[in-house]
Amino acid sequence: MKRLLLCMLLLAGMHAAQAQYYKTDTTSSERKGFDPSRLMVGGTLGLTFGSYTNINVSPDLGYRFSDMFAAGITINAQYASEKWEYTNGTVKNTYKVFGGGVWSRFYPFEMLFLHAQPELNYVSVKITDNTVDPKSTVKENHTVPSLLLGGGYSQPLGGGGSAFYIMLLYDVIQDEWSPYQNRPVFRMGFNIGL
């Protein structure tokens, strides 16, 4: 029971947690062709509950091309809802987001990286207004471009490629229907060496 409670608190406390795995060895730079030890597998898991609910599951796959450069692809799947209570009823908005993109990281220093992630997302919106009679429901669909730019810090945790990292990103396009809206995107997690 304590483990379940601890897991729930960790998931609820992090709006977005990102876990990735990659490992490199000292001889991999001498190899030619594909090196499976340079694969990066992970993704984003975000959970928020309350008057604003957000569930985000976004897996990604990448490859560490060199000690200074990594790139990959990501899939973005989110569900969000928000509800407002008024004296004469409620208004509820629900959003479904599905899309994907590519990402790249440049490591100018061993523990610091710059991150760029262009995405194209399909956003489905449903607005239900119970404050009017009869009830009003509006459905809209939008194709939304985003460009997340930012950077991060990675702190190694012993050997084997394990590290803790934090990342701060911002959508510089700021489309009206962007799932990131006009706020920073904070992600943190672990690189786990197996």
Side-chain angles (χ1 to χ4, degrees), residues 161-178:
S162 296
F164 167 78
Y165 69 90
I166 56 176
M167 224 178 2
L168 186 62
L169 306 171
Y170 185 77
D171 180 7
V172 296
I173 294 177
Q174 284 303 307
D175 185 275
E176 176 185 359
W177 295 100
S178 171

Side-chain angles (χ1 to χ4, degrees), residues 37-49:
S37 71
R38 290 186 170 266
L39 279 175
M40 301 170 74
V41 180
T44 299
L45 171 64
L47 302 171
T48 303
F49 296 102

Side-chain angles (χ1 to χ4, degrees), residues 10-28:
L10 285 172
L11 288 175
M14 292 186 199
H15 177 65
Q18 189 170 19
Q20 291 190 337
Y21 163 73
Y22 77 89
K23 67 176 185 174
T24 60
D25 59 34
T26 56
T27 61
S28 63

Side-chain angles (χ1 to χ4, degrees), residues 151-165:
Y153 171 79
S154 178
Q155 175 63 50
L157 300 173
S162 296
F164 167 78
Y165 69 90

